[in-house]
Amino acid sequence: MRRVSNLLSRDTSVRTTLPPDTATPSSLPVPDRRAPVPLADLDGEVFAWMLDQLPATDHPAPPDEARWLEELDTLITADKGRGELLPRAAGLIPQLLNSLRDESQSAGELAQRVSRDPNLVAEVTRLANSLAFRGHEPVTELADAVRRVGTTGLRQAIAKVVLKPMFGAQPGQLSTRAAGHIWAHSQAQADLCRALAQDRGIDPFEAYLGGLLYDVGWTAGWRALDHVFEKLSPPPGLAFSRGFRHAFQARRERLFSQFVIGWKLSAPLHAAARAVKGAGGFEQADDALAQVLLAGNRLAARRVLVSAGRVAEDPDQVAHWSEAVQATYTALA
């Protein structure tokens, strides 16, 4: 992965200088953060989809449910225990930080560097022909793809290629079942967050990266539950109660904020994560980027669930967004 380091040309819109822990939320302009139609929270359905279960239904709380949550809290509160949930992050996050450093390079130099990694070649070419960047003609040459996507597109491609291994399956019933679904959801979420950010005057790369990272809470949460069930028995048929699913959602959001704050990726993401932590979740976080990530999360949930045939399409949930957001949503089908 060292091959992707130092790829990026100078761009002052993204900085890695961080505020201190006492920093206030992002100083980005804060437009109206509310969706014209409130987006449905489909977290319970996503929970069931990730485990390849039937659509979510209510189940009585098992006697050990409170103990599961206590064990979860022990794991995610301790720095060491939490770090062991995403062991690859220790190597991947510094590489991603290196790839975000400003460096003045020509498009030809960037193309030459990207050409050394086949995964990056494939991702940059795919991105150049995607809805977000496509021109009048399809791109086949790497140099043309690099010129089309520019610095922002290269950052997106690098982030995706670098971070993907962190979401891979690990031993454990839950994380093994969920890994593929998490990555599919993360990619849809990142694309939608980018489109939403462009509508709201927020840096699209910060939103894209935040969309990719939102689901570290899912990944770490499932792995934490696997650890819990090494000591305690899971519910028969993995039939979790509605109350547990709701409690698990809160802990996933806490994991997101703890990891992103610790990684110190960029000032806007740091501020968004601190706002989520301070508010106890995304819903009440008073930060424009955090609210874009929440909207992207819910639109992505609807997209993957509709595509999987688990919920019916609801035009009102997307009809009032901009044409760019609607087009991105449709293209992800």
Side-chain angles (χ1 to χ4, degrees):
M1 299 309 296
R2 286 194 298 272
R3 295 173 180 171
V4 302
S5 297
N6 300 322
L7 284 175
L8 303 177
S9 59
R10 187 170 303 278
D11 183 344
T12 57
S13 65
V14 178
R15 304 181 186 274
T16 56
T17 302
L18 291 168
D21 280 350
T22 56
T24 58
S26 172
S27 59
L28 290 168
V30 182
D32 185 359
R33 295 187 301 268
R34 297 166 297 177
V37 176
L39 290 168
D41 186 353
L42 297 172
D43 183 74
E45 291 296 340
V46 173
F47 187 107
W49 169 71
M50 286 190 177
L51 295 182
D52 288 322
Q53 295 177 324
L54 294 173
T57 55
D58 202 10
H59 301 282
D64 285 341
E65 186 173 282
R67 291 188 63 196
W68 301 338
L69 293 173
E70 289 175 3
E71 292 290 334
L72 270 178
D73 288 339
T74 299
L75 277 170
I76 67 180
T77 300
D79 290 340
K80 180 179 179 181
R82 186 171 63 251
E84 290 174 350
L85 299 175
L86 294 176
R88 290 186 174 183
L92 296 176
I93 297 302
Q95 292 172 29
L96 182 59
L97 283 170
N98 286 337
S99 71
L100 298 179
R101 291 175 180 165
D102 289 342
E103 184 177 338
S104 179
Q105 298 182 62
S106 69
E109 289 170 328
L110 288 171
Q112 186 177 25
R113 289 176 177 268
V114 171
S115 68
R116 299 170 189 165
D117 189 313
N119 291 322
L120 269 176
V121 171
E123 181 55 29
V124 170
T125 304
R126 185 205 66 80
L127 192 61
N129 290 299
S130 69
L131 176 68
F133 291 95
R134 69 184 180 205
H136 298 297
E137 299 292 336
V139 166
T140 57
E141 296 295 327
L142 178 60
D144 293 334
V146 169
R147 281 190 288 270
R148 179 175 290 183
V149 303
T151 302
T152 297
L154 283 170
R155 285 194 174 101
Q156 292 179 21
I158 292 166
K160 186 174 178 179
V161 170
V162 170
L163 292 177
K164 183 179 179 180
M166 191 168 64
F167 292 87
Q170 285 194 334
Q173 180 183 16
L174 301 177
S175 57
T176 298
R177 285 194 185 197
H181 290 315
I182 293 172
W183 183 238
H185 183 264
S186 294
Q187 293 178 85
Q189 188 168 244
D191 286 343
L192 286 162
C193 286
R194 178 188 59 215
L196 288 162
Q198 290 171 331
D199 279 358
R200 302 184 185 194
I202 294 172
D203 188 298
F205 173 71
E206 295 292 342
Y208 183 88
L209 181 57
L212 279 180
L213 291 174
Y214 194 115
D215 283 357
V216 297
W218 275 113
T219 296
W222 290 127
R223 292 175 183 176
L225 269 184
D226 279 329
H227 286 306
V228 169
F229 294 144
E230 290 173 359
K231 297 192 295 183
L232 302 172
S233 297
L238 300 178
F240 293 95
S241 72
R242 187 187 305 273
F244 182 86
R245 293 195 298 265
H246 182 74
F248 189 62
Q249 178 177 355
R251 285 156 175 82
R252 290 196 330 270
E253 294 187 358
R254 187 192 311 170
L255 281 165
F256 165 87
S257 64
Q258 289 173 315
F259 278 120
V260 173
I261 288 170
W263 291 336
K264 298 181 171 69
L265 284 166
S266 70
L269 274 172
H270 189 84
R274 290 196 64 81
V276 171
K277 180 180 179 181
F282 276 90
E283 189 75 45
Q284 301 302 320
D286 188 15
D287 178 270
L289 177 56
Q291 289 301 310
V292 162
L293 299 183
L294 175 62
N297 172 264
R298 292 188 172 171
L299 281 171
R302 177 163 295 282
R303 178 69 276 163
V304 297
L305 293 172
V306 169
S307 296
R310 299 181 70 96
V311 301
E313 185 63 278
D314 181 355
D316 286 342
Q317 291 285 300
V318 294
H320 296 282
W321 295 100
S322 71
E323 290 183 6
V325 173
Q326 292 184 56
T328 300
Y329 178 89
T330 301
L332 290 168

